[in-house]
Amino acid sequence: MVTMDPSIEDIIVEPPEDGVIVDPIRWFESPGPFEIEIGCGKGGFLLARARANPGICLLGIEWANKYFRYAADRMARWKLTNVRVMRTDAKYFVIHHLPPACVSVLHVYHPDPWPKKRHHKRRLIQPDFVEAALRCLVPGGRWLIQSDHEEYFGAIRGLLDGQAGLSELAWENAAVATGEEWSGTNFEAKYAREGRTIHRVVYAVS
Ligand SMILES: C[S@@+](CC[C@H](N)C(=O)[O-])C[C@H]1O[C@@H](n2cnc3c(N)ncnc32)[C@H](O)[C@@H]1O
């Protein structure tokens, strides 16, 4: 248990072994609504979200070791006790290790678009992941997605719009994405500077 001034080791959660279904709230000092950011990169959004919402339990998942270490170190330096970071393939983790109805908010910002058609199978948001994500979200939960890649964003909407149990909310009406709390992600800032259009959607789970 983390008592004060967490070290990077306190922030990092090891990926579970095969066959294990985790109880994510046990990783945190105090229970609270459990949120996941997939592909948290350097952790810009993770940091802002955790700081603004001390009552939530937030897990950032990042595959790239360099960014994973950077994000975990950043959370420790900010002495955050309500955030954990895991290095793993988030798709595998969600499909194989999460229990049903445990995630209050799923954040997916600028998932790698894998633009070449022959690489589309590497994309995160595909039918098997969608099925697992919907199983893991709680009733009343939220799934927020943001992308700068028009074709991938269209494909995501094609999978999720009209999906039973999901309804779209206006981004500005989603409780997690309003006002000053929305600090954006590192890629969002970079793409905004380049003048790229940012596509966003938020779904509510019934
Ligand atoms: C384009 S970057 C966006 C980073 C961050 N979300 C942002 O908006 O600044 C995508 C990130 O997702 C990570 N990533 C891609 N696929 C992943 C997976 N299956 N599991 C975990 N992380 C993944 C990449 O390593 C990369 O850091």
Side-chain angles (χ1 to χ4, degrees):
M1 176 183 277
V2 181
T3 47
M4 58 172 73
D5 288 12
S7 67
I8 187 169
E9 286 76 25
D10 297 316
I11 299 291
I12 292 171
V13 177
E14 293 300 328
E17 292 184 8
D18 274 349
V20 172
I21 304 294
V22 297
D23 178 3
I25 296 305
R26 296 189 60 178
W27 297 326
F28 298 87
E29 251 185 271
S30 312
F34 179 53
E35 301 191 9
I36 298 183
E37 187 193 5
I38 290 183
C40 63
K42 292 179 174 178
F45 172 79
L46 204 65
L47 177 65
R49 179 94 186 128
R51 288 187 66 208
N53 299 275
I56 65 170
C57 298
L58 182 58
L59 174 68
I61 305 180
E62 173 54 51
W63 176 243
N65 190 42
K66 187 170 129 187
Y67 297 134
F68 153 76
R69 299 284 314 179
Y70 186 101
D73 182 55
R74 204 171 178 187
M75 304 308 136
R77 279 187 283 117
W78 278 91
K79 307 186 193 315
L80 292 170
T81 57
N82 64 335
V83 60
R84 296 287 180 268
V85 182
M86 181 187 286
R87 182 181 179 221
T88 196
D89 173 4
K91 182 172 184 167
Y92 190 89
F93 176 77
V94 170
I95 292 175
H96 295 284
H97 295 297
L98 278 182
C102 67
V103 178
S104 293
V105 186
L106 180 58
H107 306 268
V108 182
Y109 305 127
H110 302 277
D112 289 335
W114 295 105
K116 290 182 182 159
K117 200 164 183 181
R118 69 175 188 279
H119 291 156
H120 283 185
K121 56 182 177 297
R122 299 182 188 176
R123 288 175 167 175
L124 172 75
I125 302 181
Q126 299 191 68
D128 55 349
F129 177 77
V130 169
E131 188 187 332
L134 296 183
R135 180 180 56 81
C136 295
L137 279 157
V138 299
R142 303 276 187 268
W143 186 355
L144 290 93
I145 302 168
Q146 180 169 293
S147 175
D148 54 287
H149 195 275
E150 192 170 4
E151 186 275 324
Y152 185 22
F153 187 73
I156 292 169
R157 292 206 64 135
L159 280 172
L160 297 180
D161 288 0
Q163 178 79 234
L166 280 188
S167 53
E168 186 176 346
L169 290 179
W171 184 268
E172 53 279 9
N173 291 344
V176 289
T178 50
E180 291 169 9
E181 186 186 314
W182 184 253
S183 74
T185 75
N186 297 89
F187 269 70
E188 177 181 343
K190 174 171 125 78
Y191 291 143
R193 279 196 301 274
E194 291 171 7
R196 291 202 214 178
T197 302
I198 308 282
H199 307 277
R200 299 184 172 103
V201 66
V202 53
Y203 297 96
V205 181
S206 53

